[in-house]
Amino acid sequence: MIRKILYSPHPVLRRVAAKVQKFDDTLQVLVSDMFETMYAEKGAGLAAPQIGVSLRVIVLDVSYATENPCHKIAVINPEIIAAQDSKEFNEGCLSVPGYYEKVTRPSKVVITGFDVNGSPFEIHAEDLLADCLQHEIDHLNGKLFIDMLSPLKRGMARRKVEKYKREHQLD
Ligand code: GNR
Ligand code: NI
């Protein structure tokens, strides 16, 4: 089922999401809906708070931009355990529609977490995948990429979202 995306400044986007405690059918459905919603919205990633679910669940698919044969990635309770180097990335966010800007982040990260069945795993990521993982994990901590920008640019982003909502007759 495709779920509705929440837009900034929705308060759920600002909450610190709770850890998943049970790897049950409800989680399977959530992850499946998140992939469906992400593909429908043509996003490279999606965090559960963006569909109004304040849990530490992220999905990604950056295969369009890589030669990585692993397309779909879901991480439950992700944690960044190492980060190094630094790079400028051009980012966008489904919750800040119509606005894109460069931000600087570590370009290599190691992430730990669990798959949808509760098995632990690690991801060693760089470049776009590292960028997306950090962007999604920020969502779980109530942060948006626009928080890293100047007040002037944040104001521009806010007006873009307002315009988008007006044009698409959203709340
Ligand atoms: O679709 C998305 N593209 C993107 C581009 C650069 C860095 C991060 C992203 S994630 C974003 C989808 C989204 O809002 N995920 O939370
Ligand atoms: Ni986002």
Side-chain angles (χ1 to χ4, degrees):
M1 191 181 80
I2 296 174
R3 312 261 196 118
K4 214 178 80 179
I5 300 277
L6 302 183
Y7 302 103
S8 178
H10 196 289
V12 172
L13 295 171
R14 292 309 187 175
R15 256 184 232 155
V16 176
K19 276 197 178 177
V20 169
Q21 306 284 3
K22 282 189 192 154
F23 292 81
D24 57 8
D25 290 357
T26 311
L27 179 66
Q28 304 268 355
V29 171
L30 173 64
V31 167
S32 158
D33 286 356
M34 284 174 65
F35 275 118
E36 200 179 337
T37 306
M38 177 183 77
Y39 290 124
E41 301 288 338
K42 303 192 191 314
L46 191 71
Q50 292 182 278
I51 56 166
V53 177
S54 196
L55 286 174
R56 306 188 80 79
V57 178
I58 63 174
V59 298
L60 298 103
D61 189 337
V62 296
S63 55
Y64 71 92
T66 67
E67 288 176 14
N68 192 334
C70 174
H71 298 307
K72 294 166 84 175
I73 304 172
V75 196
I76 319 302
N77 300 340
E79 283 186 47
I80 300 173
I81 60 162
Q84 64 176 36
D85 301 349
S86 171
K87 206 159 155 175
E88 208 173 58
F89 295 100
N90 199 31
E91 293 197 15
C93 181
L94 294 171
S95 297
V96 188
Y99 188 76
Y100 302 86
E101 192 49 84
K102 293 180 285 295
V103 295
T104 300
R105 296 182 186 270
S107 62
K108 290 184 179 172
V109 293
V110 181
I111 272 102
T112 63
F114 300 84
D115 69 16
V116 75
N117 301 309
S119 303
F121 70 105
E122 249 182 47
I123 305 175
H124 293 248
E126 51 186 79
D127 298 326
L128 181 65
L129 181 58
D131 178 28
C132 278
L133 282 162
Q134 292 173 83
H135 176 112
E136 301 316 333
I137 291 169
D138 277 352
H139 275 300
L140 305 184
N141 295 322
K143 299 208 171 70
L144 299 173
F145 82 102
I146 52 173
D147 301 349
M148 292 188 274
L149 304 175
S150 67
L152 179 71
K153 286 180 174 171
R154 270 203 300 282
M156 287 164 58
R158 180 166 38 79
R159 284 186 288 279
K160 284 274 189 189
V161 177
E162 282 164 5
K163 181 162 179 271
Y164 181 93
K165 286 191 203 168
R166 264 200 317 278
E167 287 175 354
H168 293 81
Q169 282 148 23
L170 299 163
D171 43 78

